[in-house]
Amino acid sequence: MRFLPVSLTTILVELADLDQTLALFASLENDPIEGIEETVPAARTLMIRFRPEKIDAQALAAELSRRDLTAKIPPSDKLVEIPVHYDGEDLGDVATLTGLSVDEVIRRHTESEFTVAFCGFAPGFGYLVGGDPALHVSRRQSPRTRIPAGSVALAGAFSGVYPQNSPGGWQIIGTTPVKMWDIDREPGALFQPGYRVRFFDMDKASGKISLPASDVKPREEPSREGPHFEVLAAPMPALFQDLGRFGQTGQGVSASGALDRGAFNAANRIVGNPHNTPCLELTLGGFSFRAANRTVIGLAGAPCPVAIETADGRFTKAAYAPISLEAGDIVTLGQPPKGMRCYLAVRGGFDVEPVLGSFATDTLAVVGPEPVTAGRILPLKTETNGPSSVAIDEVPAFEPPAMDEVVILDVVLGPRTDWFTQKGIETLTNQLWQVTPQSNRVGIRLAGEVPVERRDSAELPSEGTATGAIQIPHSGQPVLFLADHPLTGGYPVIGAVAEYHLDLAGQIPVNAKIQFRPIGPFADIAAKSK
């Protein structure tokens, strides 16, 4: 068992094989360690996020090292049968790689019984194990930029079904009409860890094939009768956010949430809202709305100029202070000279429904309330808990960066720093990296004159990734993962931005430059002896 640093609050446990990983995961499920907040199992690793005030990394490593790794997880009674058209564009290549005929590949795949080992990559994507060893094939040398939802595929010892259109490098052998991820179904992911799975050739099946049904909830148009905002302009869709969606990793759903949590919390304090009341995350200004009633709003984060058109004229207002509105007032936010995102809170909160227990909008997984565009009616809640105080002395936690600035981000090296040469590590930390326009809530894509050099081109089995992780694809140009990153990834992570700099990372604009500053050397975590 090897313990590797991921960030200040996360470690990666490296194990000998999948059986040991699942045994440790089962052990923690049955007998939790106080302080562990979330675990993400993968092929040969378990990523564990913990609360440092409850347990430190060394003590956690010591506790984990004493766990029994020989236990087997009992098979589930749940069997999911998946109909497949074996028409995948890589079916012939798989036959060539395995030395089997196409018919023999199909026969072996349909005669195997798989088990869902873990979920990741995307909501509803289950990594299936237990298939015929003759079907073990490597990933494609060149990943596709778009694989259609429902694609049945193979990679290494795993089989899986892509739940949504996404890039990927697995070998596609067929397609299924079954929806692997359906937010209107309970649970949303058809595959859950431990479930047994069998595939059958629907082109040879006799009789009618039944597909899992979903309980589609009719969408109700928001009423203009009660308190509301009418959105007049939204050049970039606004997103409802809170502090994140936790406890859904079993379905392959990551936390998401506000990119600048400090500004999010400040916006709620400005209007006197309870902790974690959903706000709107606005990117690069331009957002405008009309208030239908008297209320109070608060803005925090990137310093967007605020203009209010009232019956008495046009006024400018400052962020980080309560702003009172009357019915008919129009609020317009200009483009911020610094930073990327600001947060709009309204006293009492927006009347919006949570999804999987959270108001966070995950743009990669497409989970959460719908993005807010022009013409949308946003109902508001009316206060029922009596008056609450507003904060009039809020100040920004940091000065948001401008596009011509160099931003220094502290980095925890690991967990795969040793996959890179010393020159590669020095390139990461000494070179300035420019933020490219391809950046978004999933991650900041960076460009540097010299790519980060790896020791070799070995393939890394998929493993958990954390917010702030710096992943290095084959190009050697880093990607800094933000809140909407995939739960697992197959490229090595050389380091992760320290948690106290994540809010700053969420405000870095396009064309700004980043310098990574390690806060210490890379080293395995030594288990604390008693």
Side-chain angles (χ1 to χ4, degrees), residues 89-91 93-94 97 137-147 153-156 162 168-173 459 474 491:
E89 51 192 302
D90 298 323
L91 186 57
D93 290 342
V94 170
L97 288 169
V137 292
S138 61
R139 290 184 175 95
R140 287 171 50 84
Q141 287 294 314
S142 177
R144 292 182 173 90
T145 57
R146 183 182 182 277
I147 292 179
L154 305 172
Y162 283 82
W170 288 30
Q171 306 277 2
I172 303 171
I173 61 171
E459 193 170 283
H474 291 306
Y491 293 119

Side-chain angles (χ1 to χ4, degrees), residues 187-497:
L190 191 62
F191 289 166
Q192 299 285 318
Y195 282 12
R196 295 177 296 128
V197 178
R198 292 189 70 97
F199 297 93
F200 66 91
D201 189 343
M202 62 188 301
D203 297 320
K204 297 180 180 177
S206 58
K208 186 177 180 181
I209 297 172
S210 60
L211 302 179
S214 62
D215 182 18
V216 179
K217 301 168 186 174
R219 181 184 171 189
E220 296 182 6
E221 289 298 323
S223 171
R224 293 174 179 264
E225 296 300 319
H228 67 271
F229 291 160
E230 179 184 0
V231 180
L232 304 178
M236 296 189 68
L239 303 175
F240 283 108
Q241 296 294 350
D242 60 14
L243 294 176
R245 179 178 290 102
F246 298 98
Q248 298 292 338
T249 56
Q251 298 198 81
V253 180
S254 57
S256 187
L259 291 191
D260 185 344
R261 295 159 65 94
F264 168 87
N265 288 330
N268 272 321
R269 289 194 297 268
I270 288 167
V271 298
N273 280 343
H275 178 70
N276 207 24
T277 300
C279 294
L280 276 179
E281 183 178 84
L282 312 174
T283 302
L284 292 178
F287 190 78
S288 179
F289 63 92
R290 178 187 291 110
N293 52 285
R294 174 181 289 180
T295 190
V296 177
I297 63 170
L299 288 156
C304 297
V306 184
I308 314 290
E309 292 182 40
T310 74
D312 298 322
R314 182 180 175 91
F315 304 91
T316 58
K317 296 287 185 177
Y320 285 93
I323 300 173
S324 60
L325 299 178
E326 298 291 335
D329 287 356
I330 295 176
V331 180
T332 301
L333 277 64
Q335 184 172 346
K338 294 184 173 184
M340 283 284 288
R341 298 169 175 92
C342 70
Y343 294 84
L344 170 66
V346 60
R347 188 171 178 85
F350 293 97
D351 191 1
V352 60
E353 290 296 319
V355 178
L356 295 180
S358 169
F359 301 94
T361 302
D362 187 329
T363 58
L364 178 67
V366 195
V367 175
E370 287 188 6
V372 175
T373 54
R376 179 88 171 266
I377 300 299
L378 302 178
L380 309 180
K381 288 185 176 179
T382 55
E383 292 182 85
T384 57
N385 297 326
S388 57
S389 60
V390 299
I392 59 174
D393 56 356
E394 290 290 331
V395 294
F398 55 85
E399 185 71 17
M403 65 174 59
D404 57 351
E405 291 182 8
V406 175
V407 183
I408 297 175
L409 297 178
D410 286 352
V411 170
V412 177
L413 292 179
R416 299 300 176 188
T417 311
D418 53 1
W419 278 52
F420 299 87
T421 64
Q422 183 59 36
K423 178 185 175 184
I425 298 170
E426 291 171 357
T427 298
L428 176 81
T429 57
N430 295 338
Q431 181 170 260
L432 295 182
W433 298 94
Q434 187 166 23
V435 177
T436 70
Q438 289 71 40
S439 304
N440 52 32
R441 279 184 52 89
V442 176
I444 299 175
R445 293 187 176 273
L446 300 169
E449 186 176 341
V450 180
V452 177
E453 182 180 83
R454 280 177 58 167
R455 290 189 181 277
D456 57 48
S457 58
E459 193 170 283
L460 178 73
S462 293
E463 58 189 28
T465 56
T467 302
I470 305 166
Q471 191 181 69
I472 310 294
H474 291 306
S475 67
Q477 303 292 336
V479 179
L480 168 55
F481 280 161
L482 297 182
D484 290 358
H485 66 87
L487 195 62
T488 59
Y491 293 119
V493 170
I494 194 171
V497 172

Side-chain angles (χ1 to χ4, degrees), residues 22 72-80 113-117 129 190-198:
L22 297 180
K72 297 290 185 181
I73 299 176
S76 170
D77 292 334
K78 178 71 174 181
L79 173 65
V80 181
E113 182 169 285
F114 298 88
T115 301
V116 183
V129 297
L190 191 62
F191 289 166
Q192 299 285 318
Y195 282 12
R196 295 177 296 128
V197 178
R198 292 189 70 97

